[in-house]
Amino acid sequence: MRRIRACAFILALIVLFAGNIYAEAAQGDSGPIIINVDAGDVKPLLNIVPGTSIPVLYAGDTVTLTLPVKNSSTHDAKNITVTLDSGGKSDFPFVYDELGLAKKVDKIISNQTVNVVFELDVDQYATEGRHVIKLNYSYSNIMGNDYTSSELISVKIINNNAPPKLTVSNIAFSTEKVIPGQKVNANFKLKNLGTLEAKDIKITLNGLKNEGFTIDNFTDTKYLSEIKGQSEAYVIYTLVPSKNITGGTHTLELKMEYKDNKNKAYTEVSQVFIPVTGKAEEGKASLMFEEIQYPVNSLEPGSDFPLSFKITNNGNGKAQNIKIWLTTDKEIISKSLSTIAIDTLDKGQTKKVEFKLSAVSDAATKNYPVAINMEYDETRDDKVQKNNLTQYIGIYIENNTVGKSVPKIIVSKYSFEPVQVKAGENFRLKLHFLNTNRSIPTSNIKISLSSDDGTFQPVNSSNTFYIEGIAPKAVVGKEITFSTKPDVTAKPYILTVNYEYEDDKGNPYTAKDVISIPVLQVLRLVTGEVAVSSEAFAGQPVPVTAEFFNMGKSTLYNLMIKAEGDFQVQGSGYFVGNFEPGKSDVFDTTLIPNKVGGAKGNIVFSFEDASGKQTIIKKEFTMNIMEMPKQPGIDGEIPGVPPAAESGKKGVKPIYLIAGGAGAAIIILILIIVLRKKIKARKELTLDE
């Protein structure tokens, strides 16, 4: 009898002390790693809303840049400063002071989006194309901890501005004719063919010489402060032709040196042609070109234009067998007779001549000289003498392939539904196409979308569509459904947009654009069964263990695990952090039930995807909580256990009853302790390897 009572007493003590020993072990070096996560240690996550359209801005404009900033975490952010980082880069597209690049926001609560608005001046010299800009954030959480982060955004710049370009568009003389030995004022009209200002202009007249032209009491250099874009200015030189100068056309050079507002230097040299009237001799014919008419403004490639003039005989004799022809560069072609013949011109007689010319479609931007040549005969003393005369003009061709003369189509805005594109699922892509040109329409537009790595494939449709036309500055929308490959890694993927279209004259163009689509993987956190005793004593520690695995192809961010239910939890949770694909781990903690009866609890897993969207998974478990057996009384009997006086075999029954209740709990407790030791040993072995 005493032996049985002693065994029951020892068994009760084992139950009592095993729980206490484990509770101490759970707090020591050999127990589970429990990280107490304080709200002040968790960083809010600020970023531009995924799928935000790339802004399209025009050089020289004052613009409003609106950036939707989202707090994608479960923690509020406050005292926020959002800054566009110029980085001291020379190609930064905005004119700014540092204060104008920073905006403050008081607070962005969890999962809230706030529009941060910048008022900016786009540099009129900004390089056309896509500019990547660093966006910096500084902020704090509700506990006052400070954080910084950054991300890259992009804007698209359209620059229809042309750099300054000076040319001599016309020359006017103060007298009807330039006569040897007589002063004449030559008024040079300078035109800025660009849209941007030319400044600090230095003009030099070259080619002066004693037997030709000299300057009267003035220097050959003149200065102008500026010529605005598409504007004109004048410089006047007083020329003195030598008394011995020959009749005909004489060439001088006007050199123009200037800068733009970025202090970039330019130099242009224009040839100027000055017709001189020769001395009239008795019986001698003297033919002159007069009233020459030709385009003085710039022409586009492919343009047709006329060249006309009068031929006057200012001499005393008759001119015969007159032939007129042009000499041009290959970029200027004639659409009329290449040579015009006139039989005779008597003294004082005038004849009008006209040529039709055209600039080829691929002519480069430059000033093309055109020589007007004339040959004629005169008879003196029964002898025929041949005479030659040449007059030069300049035709300026401007081939502005990036300016207003060429229409361009770009993606001005795009979005997708659903907002989060997931691997293996379909999404609808909405595109807006903008004709950036301010004056020229586009037509016969073919647009094709392609994914080089095959990430995106069209669903029930072609990847190509047709648009009849887009007017200047107009937008046309299209949409198409794509499927996403199921096995791609979560990251942004490029979709290429190819254009084929025509301008209003039928000239064909091709272009290419790209858009970025972030793809998310379906998150797969797999949890094992919760290892916990089905029965336990009130007030005694109970270990709980659960294995978990990342079976997906994407990282789980900010993974946090905790226990909750009808009991007290030792420790506030296990912060795993970023949980990579293929990884596995174990969560274990200690629970202390306080009430007798059935108890329910959950192991709660919370994590975020790459966009900051939170997912919560709960794994339920139950326990039966019993009263803790009391210690033996004074008479050596355990209260509640009847004395075994009748039979030795019957006396063993209370021990079996205890083993059936508390014994099962002890066995499970021992198994959990052994399991945890094995898991710890396995982790240490992995680290050693």
Side-chain angles (χ1 to χ4, degrees), residues 58 60-64 119-122:
Y58 287 85
D61 287 356
T62 297
V63 299
T64 299
E119 297 290 339
L120 301 166
D121 291 324
V122 185

Side-chain angles (χ1 to χ4, degrees), residues 243-486:
K243 292 181 180 180
N244 298 320
I245 194 170
T246 59
T249 301
H250 294 260
T251 304
L252 298 177
E253 284 187 347
L254 201 68
K255 182 179 180 182
M256 296 163 286
E257 301 171 88
Y258 53 97
K259 298 177 182 178
D260 61 21
N261 282 327
K262 292 282 188 178
N263 287 322
K264 180 180 178 181
Y266 301 82
T267 300
E268 298 288 346
V269 177
S270 290
Q271 287 185 319
V272 292
F273 308 101
I274 303 176
V276 177
T277 301
K279 291 181 179 180
E281 296 182 15
E282 189 66 30
K284 180 176 175 61
S286 179
L287 301 188
M288 294 291 296
F289 297 108
E290 295 181 340
E291 299 182 18
I292 301 176
Q293 303 291 327
Y294 62 95
V296 294
N297 295 322
S298 61
L299 298 175
E300 293 183 4
S303 300
D304 295 339
F305 61 94
L307 168 59
S308 66
F309 48 88
K310 291 181 179 180
I311 300 176
T312 301
N313 186 352
N314 292 318
N316 295 318
K318 179 188 293 187
Q320 299 173 316
N321 302 323
I322 306 165
K323 292 189 296 184
I324 304 102
W325 73 96
L326 304 179
T327 303
T328 66
D329 290 348
K330 60 182 177 58
E331 288 82 2
I332 305 295
I333 59 175
S334 177
K335 288 191 170 183
S336 59
L337 292 174
S338 57
T339 302
I340 295 177
I342 301 173
D343 291 335
T344 61
L345 274 180
D346 291 330
K347 174 184 175 182
Q349 191 176 2
T350 297
K351 183 75 173 180
K352 185 174 181 179
V353 177
E354 182 173 345
F355 290 91
K356 292 182 179 179
L357 304 175
S358 179
V360 299
S361 59
D362 60 348
T365 298
K366 62 177 278 189
N367 192 34
Y368 291 89
V370 176
I372 308 171
N373 305 292
M374 181 167 56
E375 179 182 278
Y376 63 95
D377 298 339
E378 62 175 334
T379 303
R380 298 183 66 185
D381 299 330
D382 297 328
K383 293 182 180 179
V384 176
Q385 295 183 358
K386 289 192 175 293
N387 296 277
N388 295 284
L389 183 66
T390 300
Q391 171 78 56
Y392 288 92
I393 64 166
I395 301 296
Y396 189 81
I397 305 298
E398 185 176 13
N399 190 344
N400 188 359
T401 59
V402 297
K404 59 184 179 182
S405 62
V406 176
K408 294 186 69 173
I409 301 175
I410 64 169
V411 176
S412 63
K413 180 181 179 182
Y414 67 95
S415 61
F416 23 84
E417 294 180 1
V419 174
Q420 293 183 336
V421 177
K422 294 183 179 180
E425 298 183 4
N426 294 350
F427 68 96
R428 189 165 66 228
L429 176 64
K430 296 183 178 181
L431 297 162
H432 293 80
F433 300 102
L434 168 68
N435 176 3
T436 65
N437 199 281
R438 300 176 187 269
S439 59
I440 301 177
T442 58
S443 61
N444 197 24
I445 305 163
K446 175 184 174 184
I447 302 175
S448 59
L449 309 177
S450 62
S451 174
D452 294 340
D453 54 7
T455 300
F456 307 112
Q457 294 295 328
V459 177
N460 299 326
S461 68
S462 169
N463 67 330
T464 300
F465 45 84
Y466 174 81
I467 300 174
E468 184 175 352
I470 305 178
K473 301 291 290 179
V475 176
V476 172
K478 288 288 183 179
E479 63 179 62
I480 185 172
T481 300
F482 282 100
S483 65
T484 310
K485 286 176 63 176

Side-chain angles (χ1 to χ4, degrees), residues 22-34 588 590 676-677 680:
Y22 179 77
E24 293 175 3
Q27 299 175 6
D29 294 338
S30 61
I33 301 173
I34 306 296
D588 49 9
T590 302
R676 294 173 69 170
K677 287 183 177 180
K680 181 180 179 184

Side-chain angles (χ1 to χ4, degrees), residues 560-636:
M560 178 77 179
I561 310 169
K562 64 180 180 179
E564 63 180 19
D566 304 326
F567 32 72
Q568 179 184 346
V569 181
Q570 291 189 346
S572 60
Y574 176 24
F575 182 64
V576 182
N578 296 341
F579 196 45
E580 297 177 352
K583 294 284 187 179
S584 63
D585 202 347
V586 178
F587 167 73
D588 49 9
T589 189
T590 302
L591 311 177
I592 302 177
N594 295 320
K595 297 180 181 180
V596 175
K600 290 184 178 181
N602 292 294
I603 305 298
V604 182
F605 302 83
S606 65
F607 52 88
E608 298 172 354
D609 61 17
S611 69
K613 182 180 179 182
Q614 188 182 52
T615 300
I616 297 177
I617 298 175
K618 293 187 177 182
K619 194 76 174 181
E620 187 181 76
F621 62 90
T622 60
M623 291 188 294
N624 182 33
I625 310 302
M626 302 178 295
E627 283 282 359
M628 180 67 192
K630 296 181 180 180
Q631 296 185 8
I634 298 175
D635 58 356

Side-chain angles (χ1 to χ4, degrees), residues 223-234:
Y223 296 91
L224 295 174
S225 59
E226 64 180 27
I227 302 178
K228 299 290 187 182
Q230 296 293 307
S231 297
E232 297 171 336
Y234 296 86

Side-chain angles (χ1 to χ4, degrees), residues 1-160:
M1 173 67 69
R2 290 185 179 181
R3 210 175 267 178
I4 293 172
R5 289 176 179 174
C7 288
F9 177 71
I10 291 170
L11 187 59
L13 290 177
I14 290 173
V15 173
L16 178 63
F17 291 117
N20 293 332
I21 291 171
Y22 179 77
E24 293 175 3
Q27 299 175 6
D29 294 338
S30 61
I33 301 173
I34 306 296
I35 299 178
N36 294 321
V37 181
D38 184 82
D41 297 329
V42 179
K43 177 181 179 180
L45 179 61
L46 301 182
N47 55 271
I48 301 297
V49 174
T52 299
S53 300
I54 298 172
V56 178
L57 311 175
Y58 287 85
D61 287 356
T62 297
V63 299
T64 299
L65 180 63
T66 302
L67 302 177
V69 178
K70 181 180 180 181
N71 181 357
S72 301
S73 72
T74 57
H75 308 279
D76 295 351
K78 64 178 184 177
N79 300 329
I80 304 154
T81 301
V82 183
T83 307
L84 295 172
D85 189 353
S86 66
K89 297 188 297 184
S90 60
D91 62 345
F92 190 69
F94 303 113
V95 179
Y96 64 92
D97 58 57
E98 292 297 337
L99 292 177
L101 296 182
K103 296 295 178 182
K104 295 187 179 296
V105 180
D106 292 336
K107 188 176 184 180
I108 305 179
I109 64 175
S110 172
N111 290 318
Q112 182 188 35
T113 298
V114 172
N115 285 333
V116 180
V117 180
F118 293 87
E119 297 290 339
L120 301 166
D121 291 324
V122 185
D123 192 340
Q124 60 183 352
Y125 294 91
T127 304
E128 182 163 293
R130 186 166 299 185
H131 291 252
V132 177
I133 300 171
K134 187 177 181 183
L135 194 65
N136 294 326
Y137 303 97
S138 65
Y139 52 95
S140 59
N141 64 7
I142 58 174
M143 303 299 293
N145 294 336
D146 295 328
Y147 300 97
T148 60
S149 62
S150 62
E151 65 176 317
L152 299 178
I153 63 172
S154 65
V155 298
K156 185 171 287 187
I157 303 296
I158 302 298
N159 195 337
N160 289 327

Side-chain angles (χ1 to χ4, degrees), residues 200-221:
D200 301 336
I201 306 164
K202 176 184 177 182
I203 302 108
T204 306
L205 185 62
N206 297 323
L208 302 171
K209 50 189 177 181
N210 291 332
E211 62 273 21
F213 285 95
T214 57
I215 298 293
D216 182 42
N217 298 327
F218 291 98
T219 176
D220 60 355
T221 302

